[in-house]
Amino acid sequence: MPSLSVMKILLKELMTNEQVPRTPEPKLVMDDVDQVEAYTQAGRESGVMAPVYLFHATQICQAIDSGDHVLDLACGPANQLCMIARLNPDCRFTGIDLSPTMLDQARALATEMGLSNVNFTAGSITDLSGFGDKSVDCIMSTMALHHLPDFDSLRCTMKESARILKDGGGLYLADFGRLKRGDSIEYFAYQYKDRQHPLFTLDYLNSLHAAFTLQEYEQACAEAFDHRAKVFSTWMVPYMLATRTPPRRALPPRLMQALGDIQSDLPDYHKRDFSDLKTFFSMGGVKTPALG
């Protein structure tokens, strides 16, 4: 179960009527080499974001079907994308990002992992004109949409995603939700400062301040997808959100085993974080298969 300090933060969030204003990211495109490297390392399977990426992998793999073309919006260094591509070798993946430095990291990781089913393209996720109407089987994104400069950009991204997604296709867009209190944001940003690079801690802090609210995601989703997709939140407080279509398949035994192996290799403190995330999302309506 979550620690007492986390529960205190959540209760304060529930009891307040204030809402910190959104502060957009200092830079729309993350291209500083040191900052990109810190972000990349945090997202590797041994990094501080490992339990978050594992949780979202269990959800994304249910949105994908065999033979799909999957688009990752704002793929960054492709830690999540390459994990999903390795788990689904019979699918084709495209990562799109504005940052050349991020894309260099992404291509290097795909090469290092020997992945032949992944390619990358430079571009804005608010303008997916390089993709035709109903041309993509599945769209994914992990902890990236808060980099958008404003709410209109979020709406454009959602509408473009709806345009290119095939009928019956899969969608899973995960991101932070904006907390109400500044001290709550500070707590989560610095919670694991001893496990992560200081540049990642600063990026985490900026990300939480730049997050959109649950209500903004719900509005953008409803405008773009009507009833095809829905926004889910972690229980009690929208610390993390998932905009998604219903799962398209149950995870086959091979995938269950592979995801379970990743879970078993996590250190105990990451296993606790993964369990907490499962619990809070489950109580918010997003179930996770038992991996072992």
Side-chain angles (χ1 to χ4, degrees), residues 37-56 79 83 143 176 188-204 239-240 266-267 269-274 277:
E37 177 63 21
Y39 183 87
T40 300
Q41 293 305 316
R44 293 294 175 94
E45 290 184 25
S46 59
V48 70
M49 291 292 287
V52 175
Y53 283 155
L54 174 58
F55 174 82
H56 294 310
N79 289 318
M83 174 191 284
M143 320 315 291
F176 301 113
F188 284 110
Y190 289 95
Q191 183 181 15
Y192 299 134
K193 64 180 180 179
D194 57 329
R195 301 183 197 165
Q196 59 203 30
H197 194 288
L199 285 175
F200 178 78
T201 300
L202 178 60
D203 180 60
Y204 193 0
Y239 169 72
M240 200 171 290
L266 293 175
Y269 54 84
H270 276 173
K271 289 177 180 175
R272 288 193 294 271
D273 289 344
F274 177 71
L277 196 54

Side-chain angles (χ1 to χ4, degrees), residues 5 21 29 38 50 68 113-114 121 127 131 133 147 154 160 168 174 180 224 248 251 277 282 292:
S5 56
V29 180
D68 276 359
M113 295 176 65
T121 185
D127 178 9
F131 300 86
D133 294 356
H147 286 285
L154 178 65
E160 279 287 84
K180 293 180 180 179
R248 295 168 68 210
L251 293 180
L277 196 54
S282 177

Side-chain angles (χ1 to χ4, degrees), residues 68-76 78 81-82 85 91-97 103 106-107 117-123 125 128 130-131 135-136 138-141 164:
D68 276 359
H69 178 203
V70 182
L71 176 64
D72 185 2
L73 303 179
C75 65
L81 176 55
C82 287
C91 295
R92 179 166 58 95
F93 295 84
T94 299
I96 181 171
D97 202 278
L103 290 175
R107 293 186 180 101
N117 60 337
V118 182
N119 65 81
F120 300 96
T121 185
I125 62 175
L128 301 174
F131 300 86
S135 62
V136 175
C138 182
I139 299 174
M140 58 177 275
S141 182
I164 68 172

Side-chain angles (χ1 to χ4, degrees), residues 213-232:
T213 64
L214 170 62
Q215 292 74 24
E216 287 171 325
Y217 269 102
E218 289 176 333
Q219 180 180 339
C221 177
E223 290 176 0
F225 290 98
D226 194 18
H227 298 294
R228 288 196 293 160
K230 182 179 177 182
V231 182
F232 293 84

Side-chain angles (χ1 to χ4, degrees), residues 18 30 63-64 69 102 124 165 170 184-185 200 206 234 237 254 260 273:
E18 64 181 277
M30 187 188 295
I64 295 172
H69 178 203
M102 284 290 194
S124 170
L165 187 64
S184 302
I185 290 174
F200 178 78
N206 290 336
T234 46
V237 171
R254 175 192 64 81
D273 289 344

